[in-house]
Amino acid sequence: MTRSLIGAAPAEAFRISLIGASIIREEDEAFDLIQGITGLNHPSLVNACKLAGYDVIYRAGMAGYRPGRRSGQLRQRPEHHCPGLMCPVGDAQR
């Protein structure tokens, strides 16, 4: 995300995500997420987190991939963790 925000072409900044998305034939979805990254606002951060799911496919294979992580179901972490940080619904209890 940082590379994208400092001027790298989006396809290059999220190259690993795009490779992972291509493995499961979800390139269009990944490009839609990339186009939704416009800064450090909440929707952009959510899109970057969803793209990280595609990174997992490339780096760790399908065994580490959890499709629900891209679902957009995010909620606030409890304050004792990291105030203001969002996390996937299933991770909020950790």
Side-chain angles (χ1 to χ4, degrees):
M1 186 166 177
T2 300
R3 284 183 275 159
S4 173
L5 295 176
I6 61 173
E12 180 56 31
F14 295 99
R15 185 176 64 86
I16 300 299
S17 297
L18 290 171
I19 293 170
S22 71
I23 292 170
I24 61 169
R25 297 188 175 122
E26 291 190 10
E27 299 97 326
D28 291 342
E29 290 86 344
F31 276 112
D32 288 344
L33 292 171
I34 290 170
Q35 288 183 342
I37 296 176
T38 59
L40 293 176
N41 54 50
H42 180 72
S44 295
L45 294 173
V46 169
N47 286 344
C49 287
K50 290 177 182 179
L51 283 164
Y54 294 123
D55 278 39
V56 171
I57 296 167
Y58 175 77
R59 297 176 193 278
M62 291 301 294
Y65 176 60
R66 297 182 184 165
R69 305 285 174 162
R70 293 184 351 269
S71 69
Q73 295 180 341
L74 299 178
R75 70 176 176 198
Q76 197 76 23
R77 276 193 186 270
E79 287 302 312
H80 64 278
H81 286 285
C82 299
L85 185 65
M86 304 304 285
C87 62
V89 172
D91 289 350
Q93 302 306 315
R94 292 184 188 172

